[in-house]
Amino acid sequence: MNFPSKLIENAVEELAKLPGVGKKTALRLVLHLLKAETEDTKQLSEALLRMRTGIRYCKTCHNISDLEVCSICSNPLRDRSLLCVVSDMRDVIAIENTSQYKGVYHVLGGVISPLEGVGPSDLHIQSLVERLPTSGVKEIILALSPTMEGDTTAFYLTRKLKEYPARISSIARGVPVGGELEYTDEITLGRSILDRTAYSQG
């Protein structure tokens, strides 16, 4: 792809690094920004920089947050007897969009994947174990994607948490096997949360 300007080429190269954005789409975005008001482009770049430098992670659940404790953990109306364990902050967003869940969360930061070199110590599992004794949690919902890595992580967690006196359940398999939670439609995901079942180690 030939560019009339090195500045445009550099901008296209950077945007094309984003997931799902090819060079043609990146070029279209760059040309749009070039035609836009300078102030609009400035506001976009400043918003991205503020997001990258100012974002924090909740000290309780590890979800993204503007403050030390996220808005979900600090909300007195949330049901603290329900704890939903997810692999990624995108899963929190997906579940919240269903409006079917009123408990709190714990974000693992990934799933166990030996092929990718991700083990239990690379995830927020220990902080989950340490959080439980004083949390008042009565049910732990494993809302992990129904993939091999998700099932491996769920199995490990049930072994790790078996001494804790709480029911361990998993979301119903209305979510397609091999699918990712964040891409599941809100109705199916919401129904999976409501129809969760006791977790079985098989």
Side-chain angles (χ1 to χ4, degrees):
M1 187 178 286
N2 295 317
F3 298 94
S5 162
K6 191 67 178 175
L7 295 174
I8 289 178
E9 181 180 356
N10 290 340
V12 168
E13 291 291 338
E14 291 304 313
L15 281 175
K17 293 177 183 177
L18 296 172
V21 178
K23 285 198 173 183
K24 286 185 178 180
T25 301
L27 177 59
R28 200 158 51 242
L29 292 171
V30 166
L31 294 178
H32 171 79
L33 291 172
L34 191 61
K35 291 179 182 177
E37 295 291 333
T38 303
E39 187 61 28
D40 292 341
T41 307
K42 183 180 177 182
Q43 287 178 4
L44 172 61
S45 61
E46 288 178 348
L48 291 171
L49 187 60
R50 284 196 303 270
M51 179 273 295
R52 190 64 188 89
T53 58
I55 204 74
R56 303 173 76 171
Y57 293 90
C58 177
K59 69 175 186 178
T60 302
C61 73
H62 306 289
N63 192 21
I64 49 176
S65 176
D66 292 335
L67 304 171
E68 190 174 34
V69 177
C70 73
S71 57
I72 294 175
C73 287
S74 61
N75 185 346
L77 300 179
R78 303 296 294 214
D79 183 356
R80 281 167 171 70
S81 70
L82 287 175
L83 178 63
C84 186
V85 178
V86 297
S87 65
D88 193 272
M89 59 199 71
R90 291 171 294 186
D91 298 333
V92 174
I93 296 170
I95 293 172
E96 284 297 289
N97 285 338
T98 70
S99 301
Q100 299 293 330
Y101 178 71
K102 301 304 179 186
V104 292
Y105 295 90
H106 190 88
V107 181
L108 295 175
V111 288
I112 297 171
S113 179
L115 291 177
E116 296 181 11
V118 180
S121 61
D122 298 309
L123 307 177
H124 298 300
I125 293 176
Q126 188 56 39
S127 60
L128 171 62
V129 174
E130 293 171 356
R131 174 184 179 182
L132 289 175
T134 57
S135 64
V137 169
K138 295 179 181 177
E139 182 179 358
I140 301 166
I141 306 166
L142 303 179
L144 302 172
S145 297
T147 59
M148 184 180 295
E149 293 80 8
D151 287 345
T152 299
T153 306
F155 181 77
Y156 179 87
L157 287 174
T158 57
R159 297 286 296 272
K160 191 81 173 174
L161 304 175
K162 65 181 180 181
E163 302 301 324
Y164 188 75
R167 176 178 185 245
I168 298 179
S169 61
S170 64
I171 56 175
R173 292 298 176 129
V175 178
V177 174
E180 294 291 343
L181 227 58
E182 63 177 295
Y183 300 123
T184 304
D185 68 271
E186 294 171 8
I187 294 175
T188 299
L189 185 56
R191 180 54 58 190
S192 295
I193 289 288
L194 291 176
D195 294 342
R196 58 189 180 272
T197 57
Y199 186 81
S200 170
Q201 296 187 24

